[in-house]
Amino acid sequence: MVSLCLNSLPLPPPSSCPKKLTETSSSFSNGSIGTALKPIVVNGNPPTFVSAPGRRIVAVGDLHGDLDQARYALEMAGVLSSDGQDLWTGEDAVLVQLGDVLDRGDDEIAILSLLRSLGIQAKAKGGAVFQVNGNHETMNVEGDFRYVESDAFDECADFLEYLNDYEYDWDEAFVRWCGVSRIWKDERKMSRNHWGPWNLVKRQKGVIARSVLFRPGGPLACELARHAVALKVNDWIFCHGGLLPHHVAYGIEKMNKEVSQWMRGLIEEDTNRNMPFIATKGYDSVVWNRLYSRDISDLADYQINQINAILQETLQALGAKAMVVGHTPQFSGANCEYNCSIWRIDVGMSSGVLNSRPEVLEIRDDKARVIRSKRNRFSELQMVDYL
């Protein structure tokens, strides 16, 4: 029987993550001359509280490994060039992606690479790109690969081999992956072998590669560790599932740091806190919560009032105006409820979910609107004001 062992793959060095997670406060301003905007100030590591005065904010929901749809959504949002060069066109805007980049699609690492590249470019223009982790990110770090597509395993094997070519210059290699991943994917398809045992070897190789990359302390787990599970930008809260009062009482900066440390492999094995449960596990955790995304037409009045009271208590405790979440596909498109205190913007755009038309949320001067396409392409945009 054909078999494959871990030693048959090139492995990243054991010190692929920094050993210490420290508090940070950073700022970056518009590089253009004569601008009146104040610099963006970021507090927390990973980023938790962001002051971005006067910035246009755009939020994009779940992408689930669909690079084409991700690009379309970012083009609609006005932050990505449409010429295939993957250039930041958002000037000093702030982009927030709400998690679930992973699973159900083929090009997960390419999307992560694209977002990192855009973040570097945005910073040079006085803008910023932030991501929050979703349940599918935490599942993969936990080793739960139930929703991983076959081609996504192959992407992991390709990426690990590609890293070896760069001798593990992580930053350069990771940012460049989005631009070369299509070449690797096309070459893999051209050399596809229909001999059963060989395909079994390839699958084993992909599973092992994914385990190496996403295990706590692995290169991609460390990349995910750069992102929060809850983020406040100006007066808006962004998270994957939804924050509840007991999350706020626990401390969102504390939660973010604990999830990041777990992903980096910095939590000792002999502790009882192998995984930050309050943020990542359970129906009421930050990444799994669906309370605010339930269809109001299915609820009784007293239930609507209860949910609204919980939401208002959470927002008041954070000094926030509204919350933006993904996680639960909205069949009618991105929308708001509870006097627009909650925005639900997961539209299932990935071909692995609903393959629906992309939609993004734009926030200007504390007012939000949905930008959506009238057609499958984006030559014409429809903008719907809710506030």
Side-chain angles (χ1 to χ4, degrees):
M1 178 180 291
V2 181
S3 63
L4 185 73
C5 68
L6 188 63
N7 292 333
S8 65
L9 286 169
L11 299 180
S15 58
S16 53
C17 274
K19 293 299 182 184
K20 186 176 181 182
L21 190 68
T22 57
E23 298 287 343
T24 63
S25 176
S26 60
S27 65
F28 37 99
S29 59
N30 195 318
S32 36
I33 299 174
T35 179
L37 290 180
K38 295 181 180 179
I40 296 173
V41 178
V42 180
N43 287 286
N45 187 2
T48 303
F49 301 103
V50 177
S51 173
R55 266 45 173 215
R56 170 179 176 258
I57 302 170
V58 288
V60 178
D62 305 30
L63 298 175
H64 281 300
D66 193 325
L67 182 58
D68 289 339
Q69 290 282 71
R71 282 196 171 110
Y72 293 156
L74 295 172
E75 288 173 22
M76 282 176 56
V79 298
L80 180 68
S81 62
S82 58
D83 58 5
Q85 298 299 307
D86 291 338
L87 300 177
W88 174 261
T89 59
E91 296 299 328
D92 53 17
V94 173
L95 168 67
V96 183
Q97 198 282 320
L98 287 175
D100 275 11
V101 170
L102 301 182
D103 291 340
R104 305 188 191 277
D106 301 342
D107 299 303
E108 309 154 302
I109 306 174
I111 295 175
L112 292 173
S113 168
L114 173 62
L115 291 171
R116 171 77 101 89
S117 174
L118 291 176
I120 294 170
Q121 296 177 60
K123 188 173 182 179
K125 298 286 188 178
V129 175
F130 299 101
Q131 294 170 246
V132 297
N133 286 315
N135 59 306
H136 284 268
E137 280 73 47
T138 62
M139 289 166 67
N140 275 270
V141 176
E142 192 181 6
D144 184 346
F145 299 157
R146 284 177 293 167
Y147 301 100
V148 181
E149 295 293 323
S150 175
D151 281 348
F153 281 119
D154 291 339
E155 187 193 23
C156 289
D158 289 347
F159 181 68
L160 201 54
E161 184 178 344
Y162 160 85
L163 275 184
N164 193 44
D165 294 341
Y166 271 84
E167 298 181 348
Y168 300 103
D169 182 348
W170 172 258
D171 287 329
E172 182 180 357
F174 184 62
V175 168
R176 288 179 177 271
W177 175 248
C178 183
V180 301
S181 62
R182 177 67 66 181
I183 298 173
W184 283 73
K185 188 175 184 179
D186 290 343
E187 289 179 352
R188 183 196 334 130
K189 289 184 176 180
M190 288 178 62
S191 61
R192 181 159 290 171
N193 192 312
H194 296 287
W195 184 52
W198 175 246
N199 288 330
L200 177 60
V201 170
K202 286 186 64 180
R203 172 55 61 86
Q204 289 178 325
K205 183 178 179 181
V207 171
I208 293 172
R210 195 173 188 91
S211 299
V212 167
L213 291 167
F214 282 104
R215 66 190 178 191
L220 285 177
C222 289
E223 184 65 26
L224 296 177
R226 300 174 62 249
H227 311 308
V229 291
L231 175 72
K232 184 182 180 188
V233 182
N234 297 341
D235 294 328
W236 294 76
I237 300 294
F238 300 88
C239 56
H240 184 66
L243 284 174
L244 299 170
H246 71 278
H247 300 144
V248 181
Y250 186 82
I252 63 172
E253 192 166 9
K254 181 180 178 182
M255 276 195 307
N256 285 340
K257 185 184 295 186
E258 288 179 354
V259 173
S260 182
Q261 288 176 328
W262 164 64
M263 288 182 166
R264 292 173 186 267
L266 299 181
I267 294 181
E268 298 295 332
E269 292 183 0
D270 59 352
T271 69
N272 293 323
R273 295 166 51 248
N274 290 329
M275 221 182 143
F277 192 92
I278 191 171
T280 63
K281 298 288 282 185
Y283 71 93
D284 63 346
S285 64
V286 179
V287 301
W288 283 99
N289 179 25
R290 297 186 192 273
L291 181 67
Y292 305 133
S293 297
R294 298 173 64 184
D295 189 339
I296 282 189
S297 64
D298 295 333
L299 302 175
D301 288 345
Y302 79 91
Q303 292 175 307
I304 294 173
N305 292 335
Q306 286 178 341
I307 294 171
N308 187 45
I310 292 170
L311 175 59
Q312 298 308 320
E313 180 182 349
T314 304
L315 293 174
Q316 185 175 2
L318 288 165
K321 173 179 181 176
M323 190 183 305
V324 185
V325 299
H327 188 40
T328 304
Q330 303 296 303
F331 294 93
S332 61
N335 61 82
C336 67
E337 290 290 358
Y338 305 106
N339 295 318
C340 285
S341 293
I342 188 78
W343 288 83
R344 297 95 64 92
I345 68 167
D346 175 14
V347 295
M349 72 177 77
S350 169
S351 59
V353 185
L354 300 178
N355 198 29
S356 63
R357 64 184 184 183
E359 300 183 11
V360 299
L361 184 70
E362 179 188 63
I363 302 168
R364 285 182 183 267
D365 300 324
D366 246 6
K367 294 184 178 182
R369 62 180 177 178
V370 176
I371 303 176
R372 58 170 60 103
S373 66
K374 289 183 177 179
R375 302 193 182 105
N376 288 333
R377 300 300 180 192
F378 310 113
S379 56
E380 298 181 44
L381 300 181
Q382 178 184 12
M383 299 185 181
V384 181
D385 279 295
Y386 283 92
L387 287 178

